[in-house]
Amino acid sequence: MSVVARTQDRMSHDVFLPSETVELRTRARASVAKHLAPVAREIGSREESRDSFPWTAFRGLAADGLFAVPFGGAFGPGLEYPMLATCTVAEEIAYESSSMAGVYDGQCILVPATLAHAAEPLRDALIPALVSGEQAFAFATTEPETSSDLTAARLTTYAEETADGFVVNGRKRWITNSVVAGWVSMLVRAGHDGTRAHMLLIDLSSPGVRIGTPDLKMGHRGQITADIVLDDVHVPRENLLGDFGRGMAVALSALVRGRIGIGAAGVGVAQAALDLAVHRLQHREVFGRPLGAMQHWQFQMAQRATEIECARSLYQKAATLLDRGDATAEPEAAMAKAYGTRLANDVVREAIQIHGALGFARQVGETGESVRLEEMYRDAKILEIFEGANELQQWIIARRLIGRDITG
């Protein structure tokens, strides 16, 4: 198949972006082309297993400095707008692989947001391994019976205080990177019957930790998830992230950042689908003329290009708010997540329609042709679900718009 041109390069202009972000996007795109693009289709199609984690691409991106982007000081470049930069990298990764963008979200957005609350010796010991890609890290809030409805009262995983730390029991579910991670930032109830929560950094090689069998999912097969089961696991007191009993604030702060990152990933997926659709409209002939001569598709793609520009601006604005010190970035963070991820699904679906049977096929048996839209369609759906389902994001927006006294 011919090389597909990036319509973004002629349709989107960096009017307000800092020069550091523009420069980083160029470097990230080159790194993704080198380390991820050659193996992205394999990552997207192989079944999840303990051995299928995409270490080569993971460590290749890290070697090019992309895992250092969120950090300053001794660990990273110390960018003025680190959240904006990290989300820009997430968009570039998602253009080639949505599931690898999910891995990056955990490693470089969620976990760093919790490590910001760690004691300095712990940060000094662990962040170099995160930045280099030597170790994968995980973030765990979700349980079998709680996800978007995250409160201390809903948590069943709990930590009992001891003289020198905590003993943790329970189960976490859908935990990205858990099958290969060395450490996990985990939200637990403070005591079996407590009303508050702790965020703890747990060594996954500790006695009593068991990692479940990898989940077999419809899509995002490079983002390998599994249960983490804890049976009387000892956690030292110095592994408490944030203040005692204030773990929910740490978790929610991280999740706000993660939602913006997933909104950026949605933009990357939508952009890739649009580029494939435009290429098909330019080169596929029907009734003696290019498919793109049909006004229906002209208008539809013009609308989608406009929406992608809006979605990109939303995540950039939300990320910039965080970089400027707005701890919540509401309502922009919720808008960026809900709008960007829904758009990804819409544009991929229309790109399949434009490609017809070729878009529906994993591969044409006789010729080996594939346009990866089948993979993208499987991948896109989860973007609307994780990091806070889109319905939750709409509720967050409505509370700000109409008032919490009315919406609840």
Side-chain angles (χ1 to χ4, degrees):
M1 184 176 177
S2 303
V3 175
V4 175
R6 293 229 185 188
T7 61
Q8 178 184 353
D9 293 341
R10 64 176 184 269
M11 299 297 295
S12 182
H13 299 95
D14 298 320
V15 178
F16 303 114
L17 278 189
S19 58
E20 67 176 23
T21 310
V22 176
E23 186 274 333
L24 176 64
R25 181 170 59 205
T26 300
R27 289 198 295 112
R29 189 171 296 185
S31 181
V32 168
K34 178 180 179 181
H35 298 292
L36 177 56
V39 295
R41 306 289 69 77
E42 179 191 353
I43 290 172
S45 62
R46 65 192 179 202
E47 189 168 278
E48 299 96 329
S49 72
R50 296 185 187 278
D51 298 324
S52 67
F53 185 79
W55 280 116
T56 300
F58 181 85
R59 287 180 170 147
L61 297 175
D64 284 346
L66 299 190
F67 289 9
V69 170
F71 298 103
F75 308 117
L79 298 174
E80 184 177 0
Y81 297 96
M83 185 62 193
L84 176 60
T86 307
C87 290
T88 300
V89 174
E91 180 189 345
E92 290 298 324
I93 292 173
Y95 188 92
E96 285 294 343
S97 172
S98 181
S99 61
M100 278 301 293
V103 172
Y104 185 79
D105 175 68
Q107 182 85 357
C108 295
I109 297 180
L110 295 174
V111 171
T114 64
L115 290 179
H117 299 272
E120 188 172 350
L122 205 55
R123 288 169 50 82
D124 290 345
L126 295 182
I127 291 178
L130 184 155
V131 166
S132 69
E134 177 188 342
Q135 275 199 340
F137 286 71
F139 174 87
T141 57
T142 301
E143 297 181 357
E145 299 302 327
T146 185
S147 183
S148 291
D149 57 341
L150 193 63
T151 64
R154 292 283 296 168
L155 295 172
T156 58
T157 303
Y158 65 95
E160 295 285 5
E161 191 177 3
T162 65
D164 60 348
F166 307 90
V167 173
V168 183
N169 285 276
R171 179 187 296 265
K172 294 293 182 179
R173 178 152 290 175
W174 311 121
I175 306 307
T176 297
N177 296 347
S178 56
V179 297
V180 294
W183 296 82
V184 60
S185 298
M186 183 178 292
L187 185 68
V188 300
R189 185 188 287 193
H192 189 274
D193 299 316
T195 58
R196 297 188 296 171
H198 302 312
M199 180 66 80
L200 301 177
L201 188 65
I202 299 177
D203 183 347
L204 290 177
S205 66
S206 301
V209 174
R210 181 175 66 83
I211 307 300
T213 301
D215 305 309
L216 303 181
K217 309 185 302 298
M218 179 172 73
H220 264 224
R221 295 182 180 178
Q223 185 181 5
I224 302 169
T225 64
D227 284 13
I228 300 178
V229 183
L230 306 104
D231 184 11
D232 287 339
V233 176
H234 177 259
V235 179
R237 183 172 296 276
E238 55 266 28
N239 287 22
L240 179 68
L241 301 175
D243 295 332
F244 188 91
R246 297 285 296 164
M248 189 62 67
V250 176
L252 293 177
S253 176
L255 286 169
V256 166
R257 287 159 171 77
R259 288 163 184 168
I260 301 171
I262 296 304
V267 172
V269 172
Q271 184 69 64
L274 180 74
D275 292 352
L276 288 167
V278 168
H279 185 274
R280 183 70 168 177
L281 292 172
Q282 292 170 332
H283 295 90
R284 171 67 167 174
E285 289 199 356
V286 293
F287 304 111
R289 58 179 184 165
L291 183 58
M294 293 186 172
Q295 192 176 74
H296 168 79
W297 288 121
Q298 293 173 11
F299 285 10
Q300 195 65 18
M301 292 300 100
Q303 178 67 25
R304 294 309 186 196
T306 303
E307 291 170 344
I308 289 172
E309 188 68 8
C310 292
R312 183 175 288 119
S313 296
L314 266 175
Y315 92 66
Q316 290 173 344
K317 183 179 180 182
T320 301
L321 279 171
L322 285 175
D323 285 330
R324 290 179 176 175
D326 186 324
T328 63
E330 288 186 4
E332 288 86 354
M335 290 178 174
K337 198 276 180 181
Y339 189 72
T341 59
R342 178 181 59 80
L343 184 61
N345 282 268
D346 289 345
V347 182
V348 172
R349 184 176 59 252
E350 288 175 0
I352 292 174
Q353 190 73 14
I354 288 168
H355 282 78
L358 183 60
F360 184 73
R362 292 198 303 273
Q363 186 179 67
V364 179
E366 193 69 15
T367 64
E369 291 175 86
S370 173
V371 289
R372 74 183 178 100
L373 283 166
E374 177 269 343
E375 172 197 331
M376 292 170 68
Y377 200 38
R378 288 187 289 104
D379 281 354
K381 184 56 197 173
I382 191 60
L383 299 176
E384 296 185 300
I385 298 171
F386 65 6
E387 305 286 8
N390 281 5
E391 292 79 6
L392 175 64
Q393 307 312 310
Q394 302 289 24
W395 182 54
I396 291 171
I397 297 165
R399 285 195 301 173
R400 177 64 67 91
L401 179 66
I402 301 171
R404 295 183 182 216
D405 56 330
I406 295 175
T407 60

